């Protein structure tokens, strides 16, 4: 009988010991980047897309690219709470990320830290959400941006030719 | 068995026009022998005896068992469900949710984070529960300061004060509304005076089927194990138990600012409990000491690779409770103290600083009778809560402030027999609660809740005064009860939509504010008293709440009028019936809150119970929402995305040996 009692106590003690292992978070907390709006610029500093506090600038044309082609380089800038343009974070922890509604229509080619090209895959319409990636999450994100992929062109007919100048 | 005996004795005592008094209480305790949990002696007053009929256990529990504790008790008086998917469902009592509702397991804290956010599940497997009780009245103060809300007690009986040679239980539950199954196997044995318990459970359920199609990412996978041991000496009982609960569940997407595929949540909970009971032979007084150490870990993922939010909680709680059967004019006195230490650490994209909190409280509950059949129960709880946040890169330095709260609550219950079988009860109470860590210090997005939450480190504690009047009539053919309640809250703490948006995350901002508010409501139920033959039951609950401002605007997240009814025919081993449930549209809304349409559903039930070769068998077949109605729960964040569960056929098969 004593053996059984000792066994029961030993079993429970071992479970208690297992339970007392440190229980702490495996991820850390970090400072975060906040943005009230986003501006996307073409290489000639012409505004391609703008959103501030959730309201998109509807006077701008919808982003377009032809299937089989890359768009011109788009540069990302951010807007603060006074609608002033601020630079993108310069540290290594923040990077540009994105999600695409239908990846069979559109792709993205990153170019530099805060730039990218739209890459048409096939004719159609989809959405693009840009994000400021920070560790395991997004510090900021755009609403879904409408993107139209026009008919496919041969590589030599694409309006923009990738000449490795973008960097 | 003991509680049935107790309830019948109490009812018999009441119907004879008498009251349960000390000598009767003593008799029951002598009947308990060595095999019963002495803590159940708390039913020594008239009303607690009557309230035994609201406890879900045995066949009544089997009949209602569902995916979660909240789903299982949803048709009890004054109960509603707050949810964000089938896994993240939590009970609401009299329109009050979050930390107004305390969950306990085997008499001690549950130790999860379900009170802090609508996407956090209750870390307890309902299929392993032997009993579910909604504590009402002054007894609430044995567990919580929030008398306006309530306590839901889940009884697993993990420490097996059971001297039967062998007892085992196998239960299987399956349903079509969320295709999958749940299983629990448990066994108790007594070897050389040591009672042992072992239990394993598993739940695997797929995405929820609604009347509008499948709601993706609502699957649930739960695993739990429990072991326990108990040993009895002459006047002492000692016990220990360990329970582990793991759950992986999904929160669906589709919300503004939310990930299109939703969020996956993994949580784990480990409870280690030690209990000691002292039971003197001469008197039925007892001393009960419970120590529980709990570890809770919770991770939220937008993609499988990365942790978006993480919470780690370590909590220790010591609870000492003395039961005195008779002292002066009082009987059934409970005196107790509770000491609690809690450490919360956050990781990932969570903006709450790591915080240690401590709490200490004293409570007492005592009853007195006389004065022409009037029975009075008085209870009080005094204590303090202390918060010690640590510096963190995510928190404003000014907001890192130690906070201390002195808390006190009381309740008095007056029960009067007004005629044979008829009872009138009046409760008056003061309720209070300290703000939570999140309410004080959070300043950021909550990934799976799809909200940007703002606490306020200067918040005061919540308090309020209230009353509840209840009438019960136990007649020859019908038993019915009706109650009405009102609470005037001073500084009612609740997260309210501000109408603003965090534009970085595109999330709606919710601010915790303390406002004076008036909450009132009523419920009524009636059922036939025959144990066989025709059976009918119906119940309805209503609650409304207003903030004290120029327009007396409506409070948020208040459940609409809810009604349910059942008709059945009961043979000796078979029960067959139909039921209906409806809720009216909720048009009483806080600012920026969305209206919810009403609904009506119909269901059917067929049960078989029989005994054979030392075993009891039960099969419960249930059809819920058989016409696939579009059900929108006003307290569910899902209502804007998809309806609740559609047509659902479930089966529970149980064998007890």
């Amino acid at each position: 009988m004593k053996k059984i009692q000792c066994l029961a106590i030993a079993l429970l003690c071992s479970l208690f010991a297992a339970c007392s292992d440190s229980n702490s978070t495996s991820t850390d907390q970090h400072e975060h980047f906040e943005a009230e709006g986003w501006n996307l610029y073409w290489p000639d500093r012409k505004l391609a897309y703008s959103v501030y506090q959730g309201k998109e600038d509807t006077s701008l044309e919808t982003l377009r690219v032809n299937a089989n082609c890359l768009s011109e380089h788009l540069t990302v800038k951010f807007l603060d709470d006074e609608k002033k343009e601020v630079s993108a974070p310069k540290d290594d922890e923040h990077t540009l990320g994105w999600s695409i509604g239908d990846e069979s229509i559109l792709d993205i080619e990153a170019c530099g830290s805060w730039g990218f090209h739209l890459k048409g895959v096939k004719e159609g319409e989809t959405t693009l959400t840009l994000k400021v990636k920070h560790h395991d999450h997004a510090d900021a994100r755009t609403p879904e941006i409408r993107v139209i992929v026009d008919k496919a062109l041969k590589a030599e007919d694409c309006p923009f030719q990738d000449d490795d100048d973008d960097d | 068995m003991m509680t049935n005996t107790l309830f019948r004795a109490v009812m018999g005592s009441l119907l004879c026009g008498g009251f349960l008094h000390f000598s009767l209480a003593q008799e029951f305790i002598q009947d308990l022998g060595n095999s019963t949990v002495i803590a159940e002696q708390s039913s020594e007053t008239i009303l607690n005896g009557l309230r035994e009929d609201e406890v879900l256990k045995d066949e009544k529990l089997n009949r209602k068992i569902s995916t979660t504790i909240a789903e299982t008790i949803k048709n009890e008086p004054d109960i509603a469900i707050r949810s964000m998917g089938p896994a993240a469902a939590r009970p609401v009592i009299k329109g009050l949710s979050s930390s107004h509702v305390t969950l306990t397991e085997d008499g001690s804290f549950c130790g999860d984070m379900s009170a802090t956010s609508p996407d956090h599940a209750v870390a307890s497997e309902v299929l392993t529960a032997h009993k579910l009780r909604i504590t009402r009245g002054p007894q609430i103060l044995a567990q919580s300061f929030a008398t306006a809300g309530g306590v839901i007690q889940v009884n697993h009986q993990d420490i097996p004060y059971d001297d039967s040679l062998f007892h085992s239980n196998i239960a299987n539950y399956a349903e079509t509304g969320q295709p999958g199954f749940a299983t629990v196997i448990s066994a108790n044995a007594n070897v050389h005076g040591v009672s042992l318990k072992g239990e394993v459970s598993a739940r695997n359920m797929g995405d929820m089927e609604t009347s509008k199609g499948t709601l993706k990412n609502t699957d649930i996978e739960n695993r739990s194990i429990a072991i326990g041991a108990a040993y009895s000496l002459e006047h002492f009982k000692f016990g220990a138990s360990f329970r582990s609960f793991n759950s992986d569940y999904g929160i669906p997407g589709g919300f503004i600012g939310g990930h299109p595929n939703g969020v996956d949540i993994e949580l784990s909970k480990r409870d280690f409990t030690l209990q000691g009971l002292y039971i003197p032979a001469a008197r039925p007084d007892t001393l009960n000491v419970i120590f529980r150490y709990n570890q809770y870990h919770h991770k939220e993922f937008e993609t499988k690779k990365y942790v978006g939010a993480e919470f780690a909680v370590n909590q220790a709680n010591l609870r000492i409770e003395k039961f005195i059967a008779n002292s002066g004019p009082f009987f059934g006195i409970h005196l107790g103290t509770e000491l609690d230490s809690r450490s919360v650490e956050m990781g990932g994209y969570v903006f709450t600083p790591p915080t240690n909190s401590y709490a200490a409280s004293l409570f007492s509950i005592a009853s007195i009778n006389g004065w022409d059949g009037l029975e009075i129960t008085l209870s009080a709880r005094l204590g303090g809560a202390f918060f010690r946040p640590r510096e963190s890169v995510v928190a404003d330095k000014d907001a890192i402030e130690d906070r201390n709260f002195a808390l006190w609550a009381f309740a008095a219950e007056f029960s009067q027999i007004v005629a044979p079988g008829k009872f009138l009860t009046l409760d008056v109470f003061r309720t209070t609660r300290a703000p939570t860590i999140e309410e004080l210090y959070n300043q950021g997005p909550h990934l799976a809740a799809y909200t940007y939450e703002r606490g306020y480190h200067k918040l005061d504690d919540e308090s309020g005064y209230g009353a509840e009047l209840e009438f019960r009539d136990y007649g020859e053919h019908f038993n019915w009860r009706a109650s009405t309640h009102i609470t005037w809250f001073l500084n009612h703490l609740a997260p309210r939509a501000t109408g603003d948006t965090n534009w970085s995350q595109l999330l709606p901002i919710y601010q915790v504010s303390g406002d004076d508010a008036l909450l009132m409501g009523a419920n009524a139920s009636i059922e036939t008293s025959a144990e066989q033959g025709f059976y009918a039951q119906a119940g309805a609950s209503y609650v409304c709440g207003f903030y004290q401002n120029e327009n007396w605007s409506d409070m948020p997240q208040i459940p609409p009028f809810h009604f349910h009814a059942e008709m059945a025919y009961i043979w000796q081993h078979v029960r067959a019936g139909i039921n209906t449930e409806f809720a009216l549209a909720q048009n009483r809304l806080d600012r920026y809150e969305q209206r919810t349409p009403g609904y009506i559903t119909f269901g059917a039930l067929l049960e078989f119970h029989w005994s054979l070769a030392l075993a009891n068998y039960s099969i419960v077949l249930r059809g819920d929402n058989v016409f696939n109605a579009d059900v929108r729960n006003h307290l569910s964040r899902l209502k804007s995305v998809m309806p609740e569960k559609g047509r659902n056929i479930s089966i529970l098969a149980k064998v007890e040996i």
Side-chain angles (χ1 to χ4, degrees):
Chain A
M1 177 180 147
K2 282 196 173 176
K3 280 182 183 173
I4 290 167
Q5 288 170 11
C6 291
L7 191 65
I9 290 166
L11 184 62
L12 288 165
C13 286
S14 63
L15 285 166
F16 184 61
C19 208
S20 64
D21 284 349
S22 65
N23 175 38
S24 56
T25 52
S26 57
T27 53
D28 295 325
Q29 294 183 310
H30 301 273
E31 285 189 81
H32 302 283
F33 174 77
E34 293 232 331
E36 298 273 305
W38 297 58
N39 281 346
L40 304 184
Y41 287 102
W42 296 115
D44 58 1
R45 289 290 299 168
K46 191 179 165 193
L47 203 54
Y49 172 83
S50 179
V51 59
Y52 176 68
Q53 293 193 338
K55 286 182 187 160
E56 292 174 316
D57 185 343
T58 52
S59 66
L60 299 170
E61 287 181 19
T62 305
L63 293 176
R64 307 184 87 99
V65 64
N66 288 95
N68 287 343
C69 297
L70 288 179
S71 73
E72 288 193 280
H73 180 93
L74 285 156
T75 304
V76 175
K77 296 285 182 187
F78 298 97
L79 301 172
D80 66 11
D81 53 0
E82 293 173 343
K83 212 177 177 179
K84 286 182 185 163
E85 206 164 86
V86 292
S87 297
K90 291 186 172 58
D91 58 72
D92 295 337
E93 291 185 342
H94 293 88
T95 55
L96 182 67
W98 55 83
S99 59
I100 295 165
D102 187 344
E103 291 179 349
S104 69
I105 294 174
L106 179 73
D107 196 3
I108 293 284
E109 193 168 296
C111 185
S113 299
W114 295 96
F116 65 94
H117 298 272
L118 299 171
K119 186 176 180 181
V121 180
K122 73 172 186 190
E123 194 173 344
E125 186 179 321
T126 187
T127 57
L128 165 69
T129 304
L130 295 171
K131 300 172 182 179
V132 178
K133 284 174 67 179
H134 180 208
H135 292 278
D136 304 337
H137 55 266
D139 273 6
R141 66 183 76 207
T142 64
E144 290 184 342
I145 303 167
R146 185 171 165 237
V147 181
I148 295 171
V149 177
D150 292 320
K151 64 180 180 182
L153 297 176
K154 290 179 183 171
E156 58 269 26
D157 296 332
C158 289
F160 168 72
Q161 302 294 322
D162 187 2
D163 54 10
D164 298 325
D165 288 344
D166 296 314
D167 291 342
Chain B
M1 195 66 185
M2 182 280 300
T3 47
N4 280 343
T5 310
L6 182 61
F7 177 62
R8 284 197 202 104
V10 173
M11 284 301 299
S13 171
L14 295 170
L15 294 171
C16 290
F19 287 102
L20 186 63
H21 49 79
F22 164 58
S23 60
L24 192 52
Q26 191 174 35
E27 188 182 323
F28 288 137
I29 290 157
Q30 285 169 351
D31 283 347
L32 296 176
N34 288 327
S35 62
T36 308
V37 181
I38 298 298
E40 291 196 36
Q41 288 167 13
S42 59
S43 303
E44 64 279 309
T45 64
I46 295 172
L47 206 64
N48 284 330
L50 296 176
R51 282 170 178 155
E52 281 290 309
D53 65 358
E54 292 170 20
V55 176
L56 289 185
K57 61 185 177 183
D58 304 328
E59 288 178 16
K60 203 169 169 184
L61 178 60
N62 295 342
R63 189 172 301 137
K64 300 190 177 186
I65 209 123
S66 190
T67 313
T68 57
I69 289 169
E71 276 281 320
T72 303
I73 63 172
K74 67 177 182 179
N75 286 329
E76 296 303 300
D78 290 324
I79 298 291
I81 302 177
R82 179 218 71 188
S83 74
M84 200 169 175
R90 196 172 195 272
V92 169
I93 299 179
K94 295 177 192 165
L96 293 166
S97 57
S98 303
S99 44
H100 294 100
V101 177
T102 302
L103 274 147
T104 66
E105 288 182 308
D106 286 349
S108 193
F109 70 97
C110 177
D112 62 23
M113 293 191 77
S114 61
T116 62
S117 185
D119 63 294
H120 295 177
V122 172
S124 186
E125 169 56 60
V126 67
L127 203 59
T128 63
H130 291 252
K131 192 161 71 177
L132 296 173
R133 178 198 292 265
I134 302 149
T135 304
R136 299 174 192 275
Q139 302 292 341
I140 290 171
L141 290 179
Q143 301 282 354
S144 163
F145 283 98
T147 40
V151 177
I152 292 166
Q153 294 175 292
V154 183
N155 189 339
H156 297 295
Q157 295 176 3
D158 278 349
I159 297 179
Y161 295 115
D162 181 354
D163 56 8
S164 58
L165 192 62
F166 181 77
H167 174 244
S168 75
N169 170 47
I170 302 167
N172 290 284
Y173 174 83
E175 68 169 50
T176 59
Q178 205 178 354
F181 70 93
T183 300
V184 59
I185 302 171
S186 75
N188 287 34
N190 191 293
V191 186
H192 295 295
V194 179
S195 302
L196 300 167
K197 171 186 173 160
E199 178 195 281
V200 292
S201 83
R203 179 180 292 270
N204 276 59
M205 304 184 84
D207 289 337
M208 185 169 82
E209 300 294 338
T210 78
S211 58
K212 301 286 183 202
T214 305
L215 183 56
K216 287 183 180 171
N217 206 42
T218 48
D219 53 311
I220 305 171
E221 195 175 292
N222 291 347
R223 299 283 181 272
S224 79
I225 61 160
I227 59 166
Y231 182 65
S232 297
L233 288 170
E234 193 179 355
H235 299 305
F236 294 94
K237 287 173 184 285
F238 301 101
S241 68
F242 173 76
R243 175 168 284 270
S244 168
F245 177 83
N246 290 281
S247 181
D248 294 355
Y249 63 94
I251 298 291
F255 299 89
I256 295 169
H259 192 273
N261 299 326
V263 172
D264 296 319
I265 295 181
E266 288 178 11
L267 69 82
S268 65
K269 189 173 75 116
R270 312 273 178 266
D271 291 316
F272 182 82
T273 309
L274 292 170
Q275 186 180 23
L277 281 163
Y278 171 64
I279 310 157
R283 291 166 60 85
D285 302 355
T286 61
L287 179 68
N288 183 10
V289 180
I290 301 179
F291 172 76
R292 177 167 291 174
Y293 180 72
N294 162 279
Q295 289 184 337
Y296 176 86
H297 205 116
H298 174 125
K299 289 181 181 176
E300 299 180 3
F301 303 83
E302 266 193 346
T303 63
K304 292 288 179 195
K305 279 185 185 172
Y306 303 117
V307 178
E310 189 176 7
F311 308 88
V313 184
N314 296 291
Q315 188 168 359
N317 180 284
L318 176 67
R319 182 181 170 83
I320 303 169
E321 189 172 358
K322 173 77 177 165
F323 173 74
I324 304 166
N326 193 24
S327 178
F330 293 99
F331 68 94
I333 303 165
H334 292 259
L335 299 170
T337 184
E338 210 170 348
L339 301 169
D340 194 89
S341 167
R342 188 164 178 255
S343 158
V344 184
E345 200 177 290
M346 284 83 164
Y349 199 40
V350 179
F351 287 57
T352 310
T355 304
N356 291 340
S357 64
Y358 309 93
S361 52
L362 295 166
F363 62 87
S364 69
I365 305 166
S367 300
I368 187 168
N369 62 27
W371 301 299
D372 209 17
L374 178 68
E375 186 177 278
I376 302 170
T377 299
L378 302 168
S379 70
R381 190 176 177 99
L382 307 170
F386 314 96
F387 297 90
R388 298 290 178 266
R390 301 197 292 278
E391 280 201 15
S392 162
V393 292
V394 297
D396 193 347
K397 279 192 174 174
D398 295 336
I400 301 294
E401 183 185 353
D402 291 352
R403 294 300 312 275
N404 304 318
F405 297 91
L407 303 168
W408 63 279
F410 75 81
E413 189 169 80
F414 305 88
S415 306
Q416 174 73 56
I417 183 163
V418 291
K422 294 179 172 55
F423 309 94
L424 187 65
T425 302
L426 173 68
D427 279 15
V428 290
F429 57 83
R430 181 186 196 270
T431 185
T432 188
R433 72 176 183 95
T436 62
I437 290 169
E438 292 75 13
E439 286 171 336
L440 286 170
Y441 303 118
N442 193 11
Q443 285 292 335
H446 190 132
L447 178 71
Y450 307 123
T451 53
Y452 192 96
E453 296 162 356
R454 279 189 186 150
Y456 181 48
H457 63 285
K458 298 283 187 193
L459 283 177
D460 288 328
D461 54 302
E462 176 185 288
S463 62
Y465 295 88
E468 181 164 3
L469 186 66
E470 183 179 48
F471 182 75
R472 287 171 181 254
D473 183 354
Y474 290 83
E476 190 181 347
H477 302 294
F478 293 99
N479 302 330
W480 68 275
R481 59 184 288 272
S483 75
T484 180
H485 60 87
I486 184 166
T487 307
W488 172 247
F489 281 101
L490 305 164
N491 199 43
H492 178 266
L493 300 175
R496 297 179 69 190
T498 60
D500 291 336
T501 303
N502 175 270
W503 297 111
S504 199
Q505 281 290 327
L506 305 176
L507 292 173
I509 296 174
Y510 280 68
Q511 171 82 51
V512 178
S513 61
D515 302 288
D516 292 352
L518 184 67
L519 189 78
M520 52 194 175
N523 78 71
S525 62
I526 184 167
E527 67 176 339
T528 53
S529 46
E531 289 187 358
Q532 287 204 1
F534 177 75
Y535 172 83
Q537 185 267 340
S541 300
Y542 179 70
V543 64
C544 57
F546 308 95
Y547 284 120
Q548 188 196 20
N549 51 32
E550 285 180 5
N551 305 316
W552 285 92
S553 62
D554 292 300
M555 291 171 75
Q557 294 277 294
I558 297 292
F561 175 84
H562 178 260
F563 172 86
H564 69 96
E566 180 191 355
M567 276 197 303
Y569 197 86
I570 308 166
W571 293 269
Q572 194 176 357
H573 300 294
V574 182
R575 176 191 178 109
I578 55 171
N579 58 65
T580 184
E581 179 187 338
F582 75 79
L584 296 181
Q586 182 53 289
N587 297 312
R588 292 184 168 280
L589 308 171
D590 188 22
R591 59 195 185 193
Y592 315 113
E593 198 181 11
Q594 191 182 349
R595 177 189 176 275
T596 308
Y599 64 84
I600 181 164
T601 65
F602 297 92
L605 186 87
L606 183 61
E607 291 175 44
F608 303 91
H609 305 277
W610 72 98
S611 299
L612 188 69
L614 298 175
N616 296 319
Y617 301 85
S618 296
I619 292 177
V620 180
L621 281 161
R622 207 172 64 211
D624 295 319
N625 192 8
V626 291
F627 298 116
N628 215 18
D630 188 312
V631 175
R632 307 273 172 167
N633 174 11
H634 184 66
L635 307 187
S636 168
R637 296 267 181 102
L638 290 185
K639 65 179 180 178
S640 59
V641 180
M642 283 283 248
E644 299 292 308
K645 207 174 275 182
R647 182 182 298 115
N648 181 26
I649 310 297
S650 65
I651 180 167
L652 175 80
K654 198 167 185 178
V655 183
E656 284 182 271
I657 301 166

